[in-house]
Amino acid sequence: MLKETYKEAEAKYQDLQIKLKHWSHQYYIENNSEVADAVYDAHLQELIALEAAYPDLMEADSITQTVGTGVYKTSFNKIAHAIPMMSLANAFGEQDIRAWEERINRIIGAETVRTYVFELKVDGLSISIDYKNGNLYRAATRGDGKLGEDVTPNIFTIKSLPKNILGLGDCTVRGEVYLPKAEFIKVNEARANQGLDLYANPRNTASGALRQLDPKITAERNLDIICYGLHLAKDADGEVSENSTADSDDKVFTHWHALKQLDDWGFHVNKGGNHLCTSIEEVINLYHEWQEKKDSLDLEIDGAVVKINETHLQKTLGVTSKFPRWAMALKFTAEEAITKVISVDYEVGRTGIITPVANLEPVLLAGTTVKRATLHNFDQIARLGVGLGDKVSVRKAGEIIPEIVSVIRDDVNAENGVVQGALLENEIRSQIQKLSKCPVCDSVLEQEDVALRCPNIVGCAAQIQRRIEHWVSRNALDISGLGPSIIEQLLEVKLISNPLDLYRLRYEQLIDLERMADKSVNNLLAAIQASRGKAFHRFLHALGIKHVGLNVAQLIASLIPNLSELEHEVLVNNGQELLKLDGLGEKILASLVQFFHSEIYVQIKKDYYELGFDFIEITQRKLSDRFSGLTFVITGTLSESRSYFEKLIKDNGGKTSSSVSKSTSYLLCGDEAGSKLEKANSLGVKVLVEGEFRRMLELPY
Ligand code: AMP
Ligand code: ZN
């Protein structure tokens, strides 16, 4: 195998950086794909490989580190919507739909022939996309309906969205950006494996992904879009409104025609969900039908939308200050219910994050009675403008606990009785006060991104409780029979104050607890003891280190299955060996560093050794014990990558280290070796060339 010299590698590295940065800028900022995605990816992979092989080539602003545009923004620019982006009035059932038809009839006359377009209401984020001369030119979020945020580079990352269309002049396309359910599940699985908090629902995830200052992050999420509105250039004269498909040239004179046009141009429209109906009965039937089958879709819908099809009738009906009179959102009732907020509790999580949870007037939702719903964080409370006693809409999103989606108020300004139970947006109230102190331990809270955190890591009873619950959970040390209420009792009577105290518990202490009997005490004690024999990676996961979920724990344990060595690697060796692992980056390392410096670790460490723990890692099958007890350091250029030799050494029972010391057994030395060779010579460490090394393992060269 031909090996490039360091100099060649350096030149290639620079070349790749320049090319990739240029293409990335073209793609995200200039909207121009100079090369195919595959070419871009191949170059990026080459760069990543080079950086792995020659870590000191890596520059701080490498495209692999700073990602994306190379343009650093701190906020989004604002874009004014030529045609306001409006809300929709809500109907919560058949009756509301019929009432809507009656109101329409009062304005246009019952005898006026009209058709209805039935669409699905995709639960994502509305977006307005301007095309100029058929080219995607800019895109903005709804914002307050008048001013949105410029998310053009992010919108460019949506693969299914046409970027240049022959025959399309200037126009605005409106649609809903969403995260397909399958993608949402994938993202959350990955997060679970990294030990990160799960995203609550596809909508919030999509929103987070779209509102990234770095579009490269948006691109990772595989967002998609469904389009439902088209405004041709002359619409902006103020006569038409959101979703209206009017056009003064009368090229497009029904909404149905507009949807067809969008489809012909290659936009995703909801073909399976859109229907042209001749009567309100048909609309109602479809509404019931979709309520039943909505889960079969790969996207979340929170209802349907009905629109008057004829543009001239849309104009006659006009708009209120908040929404068009000619359209209506038909909410599915089962998964969303209206109830009242009674009070708010504050839950303290394992890492001290405070989650506000609303106590609700019990309400039936998707077959279960709901009494509580999450409010996520205080930003969310402000966004919703929710206060105590408010009428709210709660929703069930998959398996996760219900959440409050909106506040419902009867609109006093309703014109012609058009509005019932409409949502008022952007009305920020502050009845639910932001907490300043931890509700459990009274510590002053700290702000961390959108969340508030209790900093009292070792002393906060809530955090201790959550940590112990995590410790005993199935993927961690799997101690059955130790549910939350027993843990709570143990904490209350001060029998435990950290997870390792569990291992000191005795029969006499447990038998007096509530709901404990001879058999359950013995079982519990046995389960606790059995957990001492579990694999090291489970212990590592049980420690609850941020970003160290089961998968990362396994990865770490495959290299260093031992607590004291891991501490040494992280604190003394600065994680140099860990960082070579595929899938372990600076973020995880930083979190490990933080953990090993934390008070939690100080506490655990003491008990760990006092109690004589020795978790064993079941690593991959060893090839031999030929190198057992030996430590290798590798330097210089060899015929294969460094990780290839490291794996060989480990698979044969040896260890590797990154620096030469007296305890180094061998220095495996390739071409152009530098200071390590000198050091080895001065310390009298044995030096091996590749041939000798291979002979030790009886490997061909
Ligand atoms: P709301 O925000 O509940 O008042 O509902 C109005 C929003 O529904 C619009 O701004 C769109 O973002 C969204 N929406 C989703 N699907 C559709 C659709 N098919 N037609 C119109 N609006 C839709
Ligand atoms: Zn606390």
Short mmCIF file of all heavy atoms in Angstrom, two decimals, residues 272-307:
data_model
loop_
_atom_site.label_atom_id
_atom_site.label_comp_id
_atom_site.label_asym_id
_atom_site.label_seq_id
_atom_site.Cartn_x
_atom_site.Cartn_y
_atom_site.Cartn_z
N GLY A 272 -52.84 11.89 -1.38
CA GLY A 272 -53.75 10.90 -0.79
C GLY A 272 -54.79 11.53 0.13
O GLY A 272 -55.82 10.94 0.40
N GLY A 273 -54.51 12.72 0.62
CA GLY A 273 -55.40 13.34 1.60
C GLY A 273 -56.30 14.42 1.04
O GLY A 273 -57.32 14.75 1.63
N ASN A 274 -55.95 14.98 -0.12
CA ASN A 274 -56.75 16.08 -0.67
C ASN A 274 -57.95 15.55 -1.46
O ASN A 274 -57.82 14.62 -2.25
CB ASN A 274 -55.88 16.92 -1.62
CG ASN A 274 -54.73 17.59 -0.89
OD1 ASN A 274 -54.74 17.70 0.34
ND2 ASN A 274 -53.73 18.04 -1.64
N HIS A 275 -59.10 16.16 -1.20
CA HIS A 275 -60.32 15.74 -1.92
C HIS A 275 -61.12 16.96 -2.33
O HIS A 275 -61.21 17.92 -1.57
CB HIS A 275 -61.22 14.88 -1.03
CG HIS A 275 -60.65 13.55 -0.72
ND1 HIS A 275 -60.87 12.45 -1.51
CD2 HIS A 275 -59.84 13.15 0.28
CE1 HIS A 275 -60.22 11.41 -0.99
NE2 HIS A 275 -59.58 11.81 0.10
N LEU A 276 -61.70 16.87 -3.49
CA LEU A 276 -62.64 17.91 -3.92
C LEU A 276 -64.04 17.40 -3.59
O LEU A 276 -64.44 16.33 -4.03
CB LEU A 276 -62.50 18.13 -5.43
CG LEU A 276 -63.36 19.24 -6.02
CD1 LEU A 276 -63.04 20.58 -5.38
CD2 LEU A 276 -63.16 19.32 -7.53
N CYS A 277 -64.78 18.17 -2.76
CA CYS A 277 -66.09 17.71 -2.30
C CYS A 277 -67.19 18.62 -2.82
O CYS A 277 -66.99 19.84 -2.92
CB CYS A 277 -66.15 17.72 -0.78
SG CYS A 277 -64.84 16.80 0.00
N THR A 278 -68.34 18.03 -3.10
CA THR A 278 -69.44 18.85 -3.59
C THR A 278 -70.44 19.19 -2.49
O THR A 278 -71.32 20.01 -2.70
CB THR A 278 -70.18 18.16 -4.76
OG1 THR A 278 -70.47 16.82 -4.34
CG2 THR A 278 -69.30 18.11 -6.00
N SER A 279 -70.31 18.54 -1.34
CA SER A 279 -71.24 18.87 -0.25
C SER A 279 -70.53 18.81 1.09
O SER A 279 -69.47 18.18 1.22
CB SER A 279 -72.40 17.87 -0.23
OG SER A 279 -71.90 16.62 0.23
N ILE A 280 -71.12 19.44 2.07
CA ILE A 280 -70.53 19.43 3.40
C ILE A 280 -70.60 18.03 4.01
O ILE A 280 -69.76 17.66 4.83
CB ILE A 280 -71.18 20.52 4.30
CG1 ILE A 280 -70.20 20.98 5.39
CG2 ILE A 280 -72.47 20.03 4.94
CD1 ILE A 280 -69.12 21.87 4.92
N GLU A 281 -71.59 17.23 3.57
CA GLU A 281 -71.70 15.85 4.06
C GLU A 281 -70.44 15.07 3.69
O GLU A 281 -69.90 14.30 4.49
CB GLU A 281 -72.92 15.14 3.46
CG GLU A 281 -74.26 15.67 3.94
CD GLU A 281 -74.34 15.79 5.46
OE1 GLU A 281 -73.90 14.85 6.14
OE2 GLU A 281 -74.82 16.83 5.95
N GLU A 282 -70.01 15.29 2.47
CA GLU A 282 -68.80 14.61 2.00
C GLU A 282 -67.60 15.00 2.87
O GLU A 282 -66.78 14.16 3.24
CB GLU A 282 -68.53 15.04 0.56
CG GLU A 282 -68.38 13.91 -0.43
CD GLU A 282 -68.14 14.46 -1.82
OE1 GLU A 282 -69.07 15.11 -2.38
OE2 GLU A 282 -67.03 14.28 -2.33
N VAL A 283 -67.53 16.29 3.21
CA VAL A 283 -66.44 16.79 4.05
C VAL A 283 -66.49 16.10 5.42
O VAL A 283 -65.47 15.61 5.93
CB VAL A 283 -66.55 18.32 4.22
CG1 VAL A 283 -65.56 18.83 5.27
CG2 VAL A 283 -66.33 19.02 2.89
N ILE A 284 -67.70 16.02 5.97
CA ILE A 284 -67.86 15.41 7.30
C ILE A 284 -67.47 13.93 7.27
O ILE A 284 -66.79 13.44 8.18
CB ILE A 284 -69.31 15.62 7.81
CG1 ILE A 284 -69.50 17.11 8.14
CG2 ILE A 284 -69.60 14.76 9.02
CD1 ILE A 284 -70.93 17.52 8.41
N ASN A 285 -67.86 13.24 6.21
CA ASN A 285 -67.48 11.83 6.10
C ASN A 285 -65.96 11.65 6.06
O ASN A 285 -65.41 10.77 6.71
CB ASN A 285 -68.10 11.20 4.85
CG ASN A 285 -69.59 10.98 5.03
OD1 ASN A 285 -70.08 10.95 6.17
ND2 ASN A 285 -70.31 10.85 3.93
N LEU A 286 -65.33 12.50 5.26
CA LEU A 286 -63.87 12.41 5.16
C LEU A 286 -63.21 12.71 6.51
O LEU A 286 -62.22 12.08 6.90
CB LEU A 286 -63.35 13.39 4.11
CG LEU A 286 -63.53 12.94 2.67
CD1 LEU A 286 -63.35 14.11 1.72
CD2 LEU A 286 -62.55 11.81 2.33
N TYR A 287 -63.78 13.67 7.20
CA TYR A 287 -63.26 14.05 8.52
C TYR A 287 -63.29 12.84 9.46
O TYR A 287 -62.29 12.52 10.12
CB TYR A 287 -64.10 15.21 9.05
CG TYR A 287 -63.96 15.53 10.52
CD1 TYR A 287 -62.79 16.08 11.02
CD2 TYR A 287 -65.03 15.32 11.39
CE1 TYR A 287 -62.68 16.40 12.37
CE2 TYR A 287 -64.93 15.63 12.73
CZ TYR A 287 -63.75 16.17 13.22
OH TYR A 287 -63.65 16.48 14.54
N HIS A 288 -64.42 12.13 9.49
CA HIS A 288 -64.51 10.94 10.34
C HIS A 288 -63.56 9.84 9.87
O HIS A 288 -62.91 9.18 10.67
CB HIS A 288 -65.94 10.41 10.37
CG HIS A 288 -66.88 11.29 11.13
ND1 HIS A 288 -66.58 11.76 12.38
CD2 HIS A 288 -68.08 11.82 10.81
CE1 HIS A 288 -67.58 12.53 12.81
NE2 HIS A 288 -68.50 12.59 11.86
N GLU A 289 -63.49 9.69 8.57
CA GLU A 289 -62.63 8.65 7.98
C GLU A 289 -61.17 8.86 8.37
O GLU A 289 -60.48 7.95 8.82
CB GLU A 289 -62.78 8.75 6.46
CG GLU A 289 -62.41 7.51 5.69
CD GLU A 289 -62.63 7.78 4.20
OE1 GLU A 289 -63.79 8.00 3.78
OE2 GLU A 289 -61.63 7.80 3.48
N TRP A 290 -60.73 10.12 8.24
CA TRP A 290 -59.32 10.39 8.53
C TRP A 290 -59.00 10.36 10.01
O TRP A 290 -57.88 10.09 10.41
CB TRP A 290 -58.89 11.72 7.90
CG TRP A 290 -58.48 11.49 6.49
CD1 TRP A 290 -59.20 11.77 5.37
CD2 TRP A 290 -57.27 10.86 6.05
NE1 TRP A 290 -58.52 11.36 4.25
CE2 TRP A 290 -57.32 10.80 4.65
CE3 TRP A 290 -56.15 10.34 6.70
CZ2 TRP A 290 -56.30 10.25 3.88
CZ3 TRP A 290 -55.13 9.80 5.94
CH2 TRP A 290 -55.21 9.75 4.55
N GLN A 291 -60.02 10.66 10.80
CA GLN A 291 -59.80 10.56 12.24
C GLN A 291 -59.40 9.13 12.60
O GLN A 291 -58.54 8.90 13.44
CB GLN A 291 -61.09 10.95 12.97
CG GLN A 291 -61.04 10.70 14.45
CD GLN A 291 -61.69 11.82 15.24
OE1 GLN A 291 -62.29 12.74 14.68
NE2 GLN A 291 -61.54 11.77 16.52
N GLU A 292 -60.03 8.17 11.91
CA GLU A 292 -59.73 6.76 12.15
C GLU A 292 -58.38 6.36 11.61
O GLU A 292 -57.65 5.60 12.23
CB GLU A 292 -60.80 5.87 11.47
CG GLU A 292 -62.18 6.00 12.07
CD GLU A 292 -62.19 5.70 13.55
OE1 GLU A 292 -61.65 4.64 13.93
OE2 GLU A 292 -62.72 6.53 14.32
N LYS A 293 -58.07 6.83 10.40
CA LYS A 293 -56.88 6.27 9.75
C LYS A 293 -55.65 7.18 9.77
O LYS A 293 -54.66 6.90 9.11
CB LYS A 293 -57.20 5.82 8.33
CG LYS A 293 -57.64 6.88 7.37
CD LYS A 293 -57.96 6.25 6.01
CE LYS A 293 -58.12 7.31 4.96
NZ LYS A 293 -58.67 6.85 3.70
N LYS A 294 -55.71 8.23 10.57
CA LYS A 294 -54.59 9.17 10.52
C LYS A 294 -53.25 8.56 10.98
O LYS A 294 -52.19 8.98 10.53
CB LYS A 294 -54.90 10.41 11.32
CG LYS A 294 -54.99 10.19 12.80
CD LYS A 294 -55.25 11.53 13.43
CE LYS A 294 -55.32 11.52 14.93
NZ LYS A 294 -55.15 10.28 15.65
N ASP A 295 -53.32 7.56 11.85
CA ASP A 295 -52.08 6.96 12.34
C ASP A 295 -51.35 6.15 11.28
O ASP A 295 -50.21 5.77 11.46
CB ASP A 295 -52.35 6.09 13.57
CG ASP A 295 -52.77 6.95 14.75
OD1 ASP A 295 -52.42 8.14 14.75
OD2 ASP A 295 -53.47 6.43 15.64
N SER A 296 -52.04 5.87 10.18
CA SER A 296 -51.40 5.09 9.13
C SER A 296 -50.42 5.94 8.32
O SER A 296 -49.64 5.42 7.54
CB SER A 296 -52.46 4.51 8.19
OG SER A 296 -53.14 5.58 7.57
N LEU A 297 -50.46 7.25 8.51
CA LEU A 297 -49.58 8.12 7.74
C LEU A 297 -48.19 8.21 8.38
O LEU A 297 -48.05 8.02 9.58
CB LEU A 297 -50.16 9.54 7.69
CG LEU A 297 -51.46 9.73 6.93
CD1 LEU A 297 -52.00 11.13 7.19
CD2 LEU A 297 -51.22 9.53 5.44
N ASP A 298 -47.20 8.55 7.56
CA ASP A 298 -45.86 8.73 8.11
C ASP A 298 -45.65 10.18 8.58
O ASP A 298 -44.54 10.63 8.78
CB ASP A 298 -44.79 8.35 7.08
CG ASP A 298 -43.39 8.39 7.69
OD1 ASP A 298 -43.29 8.05 8.90
OD2 ASP A 298 -42.45 8.81 7.02
N LEU A 299 -46.73 10.91 8.72
CA LEU A 299 -46.59 12.26 9.25
C LEU A 299 -47.72 12.50 10.23
O LEU A 299 -48.76 11.86 10.16
CB LEU A 299 -46.58 13.30 8.14
CG LEU A 299 -47.67 13.28 7.07
CD1 LEU A 299 -48.89 14.02 7.50
CD2 LEU A 299 -47.13 13.91 5.81
N GLU A 300 -47.47 13.42 11.16
CA GLU A 300 -48.49 13.70 12.15
C GLU A 300 -49.45 14.73 11.60
O GLU A 300 -49.04 15.75 11.07
CB GLU A 300 -47.84 14.26 13.42
CG GLU A 300 -46.93 13.28 14.08
CD GLU A 300 -47.28 13.08 15.53
OE1 GLU A 300 -47.41 14.10 16.23
OE2 GLU A 300 -47.43 11.92 15.96
N ILE A 301 -50.74 14.42 11.72
CA ILE A 301 -51.71 15.44 11.34
C ILE A 301 -52.55 15.73 12.57
O ILE A 301 -52.82 14.84 13.38
CB ILE A 301 -52.58 15.02 10.14
CG1 ILE A 301 -53.29 13.69 10.40
CG2 ILE A 301 -51.75 14.91 8.89
CD1 ILE A 301 -54.24 13.31 9.28
N ASP A 302 -52.90 16.99 12.75
CA ASP A 302 -53.68 17.32 13.94
C ASP A 302 -55.09 17.69 13.55
O ASP A 302 -55.79 18.38 14.26
CB ASP A 302 -53.01 18.41 14.78
CG ASP A 302 -52.81 19.70 14.02
OD1 ASP A 302 -52.88 19.68 12.78
OD2 ASP A 302 -52.59 20.73 14.66
N GLY A 303 -55.51 17.24 12.39
CA GLY A 303 -56.86 17.50 11.96
C GLY A 303 -56.92 17.59 10.46
O GLY A 303 -56.02 17.10 9.77
N ALA A 304 -57.98 18.21 9.98
CA ALA A 304 -58.12 18.42 8.55
C ALA A 304 -58.40 19.90 8.35
O ALA A 304 -58.58 20.64 9.32
CB ALA A 304 -59.26 17.58 8.02
N VAL A 305 -58.40 20.32 7.11
CA VAL A 305 -58.75 21.71 6.81
C VAL A 305 -59.79 21.66 5.71
O VAL A 305 -59.65 20.88 4.77
CB VAL A 305 -57.52 22.51 6.32
CG1 VAL A 305 -57.90 23.96 6.06
CG2 VAL A 305 -56.38 22.45 7.34
N VAL A 306 -60.82 22.46 5.84
CA VAL A 306 -61.78 22.56 4.75
C VAL A 306 -61.71 23.97 4.20
O VAL A 306 -61.60 24.94 4.96
CB VAL A 306 -63.21 22.15 5.19
CG1 VAL A 306 -63.72 23.00 6.33
CG2 VAL A 306 -64.16 22.22 3.99
N LYS A 307 -61.72 24.07 2.87
CA LYS A 307 -61.61 25.39 2.23
C LYS A 307 -62.66 25.51 1.14
O LYS A 307 -62.93 24.54 0.43
CB LYS A 307 -60.22 25.54 1.59
CG LYS A 307 -59.08 25.51 2.58
CD LYS A 307 -57.72 25.40 1.90
CE LYS A 307 -56.64 25.26 2.96
NZ LYS A 307 -55.32 24.95 2.40
#
